[in-house]
Amino acid sequence: MIQGSMVALVTPMEADGAPDVASLRRLVEFHLEQGTDAIVAVGTTGESATLDEDEHCEVIRLVVEQVKGRIPVIAGTGSNSTTEAISLTRRAKEVGADACLLVTPYYNKPTQEGLYLHHKAVAEAVEIPQILYNVPGRTACDLLPETAARLSQVPNIIGIKEATGNLDRLTEILRLSKPGFLLYSGDDATACEFCLRGGHGVISVTANVAPRLMHEMIAAARAGDRAKAEAIDAKLAGLHRDLFIESNPIPAKWAVAELGLIGTGIRLPLTWLSEDKREPVRAAMRQAEVVSAS
């Protein structure tokens, strides 16, 4: 089972926007040392929307190569084109990813039947564990619990990243889906409660900046230790909020650069974090004790 605190890894870039391979390798080692339970390579936070297909697959390959099987690597391979999603998923399998994360087809606003047939087609085309990803705030479509439950019957669709922040969704999907279907929070602010209520983990932006605390918080929540989980989560609350002070991954990349782990490269149309937004993110980092209070 893939479970726990899974980082939605930022993609380090050079000043000209080219992927920064040396920093990517160091970043993977940082997460291994800090207890991250799995790495999601080239999801939304990894700037999947601005990498071409070859770059996308090369970043996945590099992460797999650096991890060396020590934790699972989940490749972001979703697209609003079913054909492209199949191609990306097939290539991710070829380079050794353990599973794939497939966002709902964005922009073209499919029906629930279209969502079902899209994900079913990808799953049947590529024999690799696949995780659905529902984030209607970005995609303009919502994979409803009933559709997720239908898809849970497809043998290699193993779970869903539910990023609505609506905890009632967790209860409904658990009730409707086949036994063993995995539920991951895609909303850091509600991930603690999500796991206390039976969720299997989180695919996290906050884990880019505070991986050790996210690992400990999710482990406590999954063990049913509410007091410990909520105490840790209170330290992380500022990061959960202010890593979205501008569009993700802008604040997360800035914060990881503040930790000295990556440079300042980012691709248009994303821009570096605005000057007036930096102090709130620094304050959240101090609250989580990932930087000193001085």
Side-chain angles (χ1 to χ4, degrees):
M1 274 178 59
I2 302 172
Q3 58 191 7
S5 176
M6 295 161 273
V7 64
L9 194 71
V10 299
T11 300
M13 294 176 181
E14 306 283 2
D16 63 0
D20 180 350
V21 174
S23 292
L24 180 62
R25 292 188 184 279
R26 286 195 300 271
L27 199 55
V28 168
E29 289 301 320
F30 168 72
H31 281 283
L32 291 163
E33 292 161 4
Q34 292 290 310
T36 293
D37 296 296
I39 292 176
V40 176
V42 204
T44 304
T45 309
E47 293 176 79
S48 56
T50 60
L51 297 177
D52 66 35
E53 185 170 325
D54 287 341
E55 291 171 325
H56 188 123
C57 296
E58 178 63 4
V59 171
I60 295 166
R61 187 193 70 78
L62 287 164
V63 172
V64 169
E65 181 180 87
Q66 191 65 32
V67 167
K68 297 182 177 70
R70 290 173 282 180
I71 58 174
V73 175
I74 303 164
T77 59
S79 173
N80 62 345
S81 159
T82 305
T83 301
E84 184 179 1
I86 290 170
S87 175
L88 284 168
T89 302
R90 185 172 287 128
R91 291 183 68 179
K93 180 183 178 182
E94 289 168 358
V95 300
D98 296 289
C100 290
L101 177 70
L102 289 112
V103 70
T104 52
Y106 40 85
Y107 187 75
N108 43 19
K109 300 174 76 170
T111 63
Q112 293 300 302
E113 186 65 14
L115 291 171
Y116 172 76
L117 292 172
H118 167 84
H119 284 291
K120 181 172 179 283
V122 180
E124 291 177 344
V126 190
E127 193 176 342
I128 188 173
Q130 296 179 26
I131 300 166
L132 311 171
Y133 176 16
N134 187 42
V135 56
R138 279 188 179 265
T139 61
C141 70
D142 187 0
L143 184 71
L144 297 178
E146 295 80 5
T147 307
R150 286 181 72 195
L151 287 165
S152 77
Q153 302 300 321
V154 179
N156 59 322
I157 296 180
I158 64 168
I160 184 169
K161 175 186 177 183
E162 175 56 53
T164 61
N166 179 353
L167 292 167
D168 291 337
R169 287 286 182 100
L170 168 68
T171 305
E172 190 70 357
I173 296 169
L174 281 172
R175 183 179 68 82
L176 294 171
S177 300
K178 72 177 181 184
F181 193 59
L182 301 169
L183 276 78
Y184 307 116
S185 173
D187 178 61
D188 281 307
T190 56
C192 179
E193 186 63 29
F194 186 97
C195 289
L196 283 163
R197 296 191 188 187
H200 299 92
V202 61
I203 296 175
S204 171
V205 176
T206 298
N208 279 284
V209 184
R212 175 67 65 186
L213 283 177
M214 282 299 297
H215 166 79
E216 292 174 354
M217 184 269 283
I218 295 299
R222 296 203 64 241
D225 189 341
R226 178 175 290 274
K228 181 177 180 181
E230 290 182 343
I232 298 171
D233 199 46
K235 294 175 69 174
L236 294 165
L239 288 174
H240 297 336
R241 179 188 65 244
D242 290 330
L243 288 180
F244 297 90
I245 200 167
E246 288 184 347
S247 297
N248 180 48
I250 292 171
K253 289 197 90 170
W254 182 87
V256 177
E258 279 288 286
L259 294 174
L261 295 167
I262 63 172
T264 59
I266 198 165
R267 284 195 179 179
L268 288 171
L270 300 177
T271 52
W272 204 235
L273 185 65
S274 302
E275 187 75 40
D276 64 332
K277 302 297 195 300
R278 296 177 187 180
E279 184 48 38
V281 179
R282 282 195 192 98
M285 294 170 75
R286 290 192 294 268
Q287 179 187 358
E289 298 178 353
V290 297
V291 294
S292 67
S294 58

